[in-house]
Amino acid sequence: MARKAGLGRGLDALLPGGGEDDSAFGNEAYAADGKSPDKRKQKPPPHGTPPLGEVVQLSVDRLTANPGQPRKNFDETELRELADSIAEHGIIQPIIAMPAKAGTPSPEGASYIIIAGERRTRAARLAGLREVPVIIREYTDQKRLEVSLIENIQRSDLNPIEEAAAYKNLMDYSRLSQEELALKVGKSRSAVTNALRLLKLPAEMQKSLESGPENGGISAGHARAILSVTDKALRDKLFRDIAGKGLSVREAEKRASALNAPPADGGETAKPPKRPPEITEMEEKFIERLGTKVTIDGGLERGKIHIEYYSMDDLDRLYGIIGDK
């Protein structure tokens, strides 16, 4: 199977199929009723179990959203446009789903969790389709999170906060380091680190970032400029200036540098931090890199670094990061 260029290993590597290439379905248009001419017979009984790995026609009522779906917001206009396209041309690529485990919250009658294709499913419902083409797979919870995250990132479907929250969710659930996560999703480690830092923003700023500049909010570049300001009150001031004055990212970065500078005239400007900002920044980098509490006790010339661990496994993990390799 030819490897697609794109994000990390991509969905090809995450969708097990014994060599079967699911991407082949991407070039095949299903009719407006959700079926392709040569797939119409592959229809399971109303409450039967479809065969794994094959395209089957499944009632949309048997599909429910993935509770770990990183994408929380779906643009209604875009959904309607996709629904119109589906009504005319059919579904281009099957939905990927897995059997719902016992105890999984789901609407009555739903028995399969959507792994990839929730947007297509929503649009199919809007278009009035009763059935959609589905491939049933078996996934561990970790793999389900990975596939959902990577599918959304590959399609640029996530806003910066959704992407950052998905990274953190996958890291926490799978006990991955930032470096391991970066390899899984095909991003640089610095890109993952910068994304996770966005979760440090207050709720109001996160909401503005979710909205995006096109809707009067801030961009990820604006957010990074805000986070670079060491004083919390001055961070709020910069956010207000960006929102109220429409500052560009470059202007916000310059304003952040000015706010971090110590007062030159003794006036009411930014107070110098209690310790050098380089120390605070380095401490944050240690915490992000090691995934545990790190405290730097000292200044620019000398001091001590305290690294905490909470079990032998945790200590062994830290040694694997900073020890001999």
Side-chain angles (χ1 to χ4, degrees):
M1 178 174 67
R3 175 170 177 161
K4 293 181 181 179
L7 183 71
R9 297 174 298 160
L11 288 176
D12 289 345
L14 291 175
L15 298 177
E20 179 184 355
D21 186 358
D22 293 335
S23 65
F25 300 117
N27 296 321
E28 178 179 9
Y30 289 74
D33 61 357
K35 305 173 183 178
S36 72
D38 59 343
K39 303 293 182 183
R40 292 179 188 270
K41 294 183 180 180
Q42 297 192 35
K43 180 178 178 180
H47 298 286
T49 301
L52 296 178
E54 296 183 13
V55 178
V56 296
Q57 299 304 316
L58 202 64
S59 167
V60 292
D61 293 334
R62 299 184 70 182
L63 296 171
T64 188
N66 181 356
Q69 161 70 267
R71 189 181 187 190
K72 305 303 180 186
N73 301 306
F74 293 82
D75 185 273
E76 290 298 327
T77 301
E78 292 180 356
L79 277 179
R80 175 52 63 185
E81 291 174 351
L82 180 57
D84 291 343
S85 175
I86 287 175
E88 182 175 356
H89 304 291
I91 292 181
I92 300 300
Q93 188 175 12
I95 287 85
I96 309 295
M98 66 173 286
K101 295 181 179 179
T104 302
S106 59
E108 184 177 356
S111 52
Y112 294 91
I113 296 174
I114 300 168
I115 303 302
E118 182 174 345
R119 182 169 172 267
R120 274 167 280 155
T121 304
R122 288 175 179 240
R125 288 191 176 105
L126 284 176
L129 268 64
R130 295 183 178 180
E131 295 180 341
V132 289
V134 179
I135 299 175
I136 305 299
R137 299 290 194 196
E138 291 280 3
Y139 294 97
T140 62
D141 288 340
Q142 176 180 343
K143 191 64 67 178
R144 173 167 60 102
L145 288 172
E146 288 181 25
V147 173
S148 296
L149 172 59
I150 290 177
E151 188 220 14
N152 280 282
I153 294 175
Q154 282 185 330
R155 291 176 169 82
S156 300
D157 279 347
L158 303 179
N159 65 53
I161 293 298
E162 288 176 334
E163 183 174 344
Y167 287 159
K168 187 177 187 304
N169 189 20
L170 187 54
M171 286 178 64
D172 291 346
Y173 186 88
S174 304
R175 300 181 65 85
L176 298 174
S177 67
Q178 289 188 21
E179 187 170 354
E180 290 169 334
L181 176 64
L183 288 173
K184 280 186 175 293
V185 300
K187 297 277 189 176
S188 68
R189 186 183 165 279
S190 61
V192 170
T193 298
N194 285 332
L196 291 171
R197 289 185 68 224
L198 299 176
L199 298 178
K200 297 180 180 180
L201 292 168
E204 181 184 8
M205 297 184 195
Q206 288 193 27
K207 186 175 181 180
S208 177
L209 181 54
E210 285 183 306
S211 298
E214 63 277 8
N215 295 312
I218 63 175
S219 69
H222 287 127
R224 286 191 289 271
I226 292 170
L227 287 167
S228 71
V229 177
T230 56
D231 185 272
K232 181 181 180 300
L234 294 176
R235 284 184 180 183
D236 292 341
K237 182 180 186 305
L238 179 56
F239 173 66
R240 303 297 174 197
D241 287 345
I242 292 171
K245 300 177 182 179
L247 299 180
S248 67
V249 172
R250 189 64 177 269
E251 289 169 336
E253 290 171 345
K254 290 181 178 179
R255 187 71 60 89
S257 297
L259 291 173
N260 280 330
D265 55 4
E268 294 184 2
T269 53
K271 294 181 180 180
K274 294 181 180 180
R275 61 176 181 172
E278 296 91 341
I279 297 297
T280 300
E281 182 179 358
M282 188 61 68
E283 189 175 82
E284 290 182 356
K285 288 182 178 179
F286 271 122
I287 292 171
E288 290 169 351
R289 178 68 179 90
L290 299 179
T292 190
K293 184 177 179 181
V294 178
T295 305
I296 298 179
D297 183 11
L300 295 177
E301 298 298 327
R302 60 179 299 172
K304 297 179 181 179
I305 301 176
H306 302 272
I307 303 173
E308 296 192 13
Y309 63 93
Y310 305 97
S311 67
M312 188 59 200
D313 288 341
D314 202 22
L315 179 60
D316 187 60
R317 178 185 67 82
L318 291 169
Y319 180 79
I321 296 174
I322 63 178
D324 293 334
K325 295 184 178 180

